[in-house]
């Protein structure tokens, strides 16, 4: 487990502890009838839920972008097996990025009385071996054009991560910056690196 995973786990545990502590205090100090009705979440609980939802949504978008890029690599490898030596290490790196970006989880606990999930669940990680390329990942017949398109996809994904830095929590922002830099390096290697 990486530092990101441990810290996210600790953050989630602290949030759960804070919510449980607040609930216990509210139970001890609440006035009125002793009915077991639902209570309204505090402003702090609502803000913690909002932050957790925003981070979960950012993680989900980041993992989705990495998985889309992974699909492009799979499609390029399927269309141009001769590029395997060049693309396989980069594909492995993208798969590792997808796993790392999803490690903190893509769901957020709900502080509302309803207890409904705060965000859609997406499994973290990604396949270590190429999956069947999706129908939407079209690959040019020319290997050089395929590399150029893959490099453009790497740049677009890298730009997406860079834009997300502004709203990301500090540790996740560092991870996004690292993955964005790796994407820029991949784009260079795909277009300017060794010949196809």
């Amino acid at each position: 487990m990486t530092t990101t995973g441990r810290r996210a786990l600790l953050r989630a545990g602290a949030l759960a502890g804070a919510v449980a502590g607040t609930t216990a205090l509210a139970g001890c100090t609440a006035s009125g009838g002793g009915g077991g009705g639902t209570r309204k979440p505090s402003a702090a609980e609502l803000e913690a839920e909002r932050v957790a939802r925003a981070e979960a949504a950012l993680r989900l978008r980041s993992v989705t972008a990495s998985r889309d890029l992974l699909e492009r690599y799979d499609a390029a490898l399927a269309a141009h097996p001769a590029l395997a030596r060049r693309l396989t290490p980069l594909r492995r790196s993208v798969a590792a990025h997808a796993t790392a970006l999803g490690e903190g989880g893509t769901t957020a606990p709900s502080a509302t009385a309803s207890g409904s999930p705060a965000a859609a669940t997406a499994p973290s990680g990604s396949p270590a071996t190429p999956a069947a390329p999706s129908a939407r990942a079209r690959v040019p017949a020319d290997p050089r054009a395929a590399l150029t398109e893959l490099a453009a996809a790497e740049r677009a994904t890298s730009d997406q991560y860079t834009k997300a830095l502004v709203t990301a929590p500090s540790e996740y922002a560092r991870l996004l910056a690292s993955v964005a830099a790796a994407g820029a390096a991949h784009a260079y290697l795909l277009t300017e690196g060794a010949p196809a």
Side-chain angles (χ1 to χ4, degrees):
M1 183 182 291
T2 66
T3 305
T4 301
R6 285 191 294 263
R7 289 193 182 157
L9 181 62
L10 290 173
R11 190 178 316 123
L15 176 63
V19 170
T22 304
T23 302
L25 288 176
C28 293
T29 60
S31 60
T38 60
R39 69 172 188 81
K40 184 177 176 184
S42 70
E45 290 171 324
L46 292 174
E47 178 61 14
E49 180 181 358
R50 185 196 66 75
V51 169
R53 283 179 188 238
E55 184 174 350
L58 174 60
R59 285 181 182 276
L60 184 59
R61 285 190 307 271
S62 300
V63 168
T64 301
S66 281
R67 288 185 180 154
D68 289 347
L69 186 58
L70 199 56
E71 282 184 14
R72 288 179 166 270
Y73 271 94
D74 292 342
L77 282 164
H80 302 288
L83 294 175
R85 184 169 174 233
R86 186 171 183 181
L87 296 182
T88 300
L90 299 177
R91 187 217 176 268
R92 244 185 262 125
S93 179
V94 171
H97 295 159
T99 300
L101 289 169
E103 270 190 359
T106 53
T107 59
S110 177
T112 61
S114 67
S116 62
T121 305
S124 69
S126 62
T129 58
S134 72
R136 66 186 174 127
R138 303 263 190 267
V139 180
D142 177 45
R144 287 198 183 277
L147 290 174
T148 301
E149 280 195 12
L150 202 49
E154 281 277 12
R155 280 188 211 94
T157 304
S158 180
D159 289 347
Q160 181 180 339
Y161 296 149
T162 302
K163 288 175 187 168
L165 293 174
V166 177
T167 59
S170 60
E171 185 169 337
Y172 198 66
R174 287 189 291 273
L175 177 61
L176 284 172
S178 178
V179 173
H186 289 182
Y188 172 80
L189 291 171
L190 289 166
T191 55
E192 306 295 327

